[in-house]
Amino acid sequence: MKHTPEETQSARIARVLADRIISGEIPPGARLRQDHVAAEFGASHVPVREAFRELQTQGLAESEPRRGFRVTEFDVAELREVAEMRASLESLALRHAAPSMTRAILEEAEEVTRHGDSATSVREWEAANRHFHRLILSPCGMPRLLRTIDDLQAASARFLFAAWRRNWEARTDHDHRAILDALRKGRTDLACATLARHVGWIGKRKAATKNADPRETYEFLG
């Protein structure tokens, strides 16, 4: 997430808090203290409340009567739903983006993929992965759809950080290259099908218990 000159104070607060929630720095269930946040950012309570409402819209926080806001919990069932939604919506976006795809976009996406392959941390890989998806989907020209996909990707990222924060392993993303190859050849159906599989959960589902290791429940592709 990048800071832009047009960013309002509430948007900046929401952006920073969202990044902390997604990375796990602020854990699920933690309370968001309005006074503490206002003091940290040198803000009044108004933009802080606006930021909390934005986090609520993104599914990262929830309001409790007379208790304020707290970070939402997440479980495997919810993440499976997110993955299935991403598969459908990102395929839709790519189908609309394909006619406007340029060589420059494909070359940049290839470079971003190489950067992800050489990532030394899950945070670095996730940033490259999200950049790749944004590059190939943005030409669809459907801002509401893209905003929804952004929120779903944030939910996916929370699980990724929770599962791999301590045991990150470098990986080569063959799916990204397959998607780009299909787009270069004008094979839109193949590109969309590969993307749908790529953002889903694969592997045999195991019993999901409250204390189960999420890495043992699904293999995450991103």
Side-chain angles (χ1 to χ4, degrees), residues 88-100 134 136-150:
S88 296
L89 297 183
E90 292 196 29
S91 296
L92 173 64
L94 185 60
R95 190 169 298 281
H96 284 273
S100 301
R134 188 175 293 116
I136 65 171
L137 300 181
S138 291
C140 75
M142 304 171 75
R144 183 174 297 182
L145 175 60
L146 292 172
R147 285 195 298 271
T148 301
I149 290 172
D150 279 345

Side-chain angles (χ1 to χ4, degrees), residues 31-114:
R31 297 212 171 277
L32 298 174
R33 301 291 297 275
Q34 184 171 276
D35 290 345
H36 292 178
V37 174
E40 177 184 352
F41 290 91
S44 69
H45 287 177
V46 173
V48 174
R49 285 195 295 270
E50 291 175 352
F52 287 177
R53 285 195 289 269
E54 175 59 25
L55 294 175
Q56 185 176 25
T57 299
Q58 295 176 26
L60 298 176
E62 59 187 0
S63 176
E64 298 181 320
R66 298 181 296 281
R67 301 191 69 182
F69 286 82
R70 71 180 185 93
V71 176
T72 53
E73 305 280 353
F74 60 93
D75 56 31
V76 170
E78 177 187 351
L79 290 161
R80 185 182 186 188
E81 176 186 6
V82 167
E84 292 179 0
M85 290 176 68
R86 281 188 63 190
S88 296
L89 297 183
E90 292 196 29
S91 296
L92 173 64
L94 185 60
R95 190 169 298 281
H96 284 273
S100 301
M101 199 70 62
T102 65
R103 178 180 298 180
I105 292 174
L106 295 175
E107 289 177 351
E108 185 176 358
E110 184 76 44
E111 177 60 30
V112 169
T113 295
R114 285 194 292 268

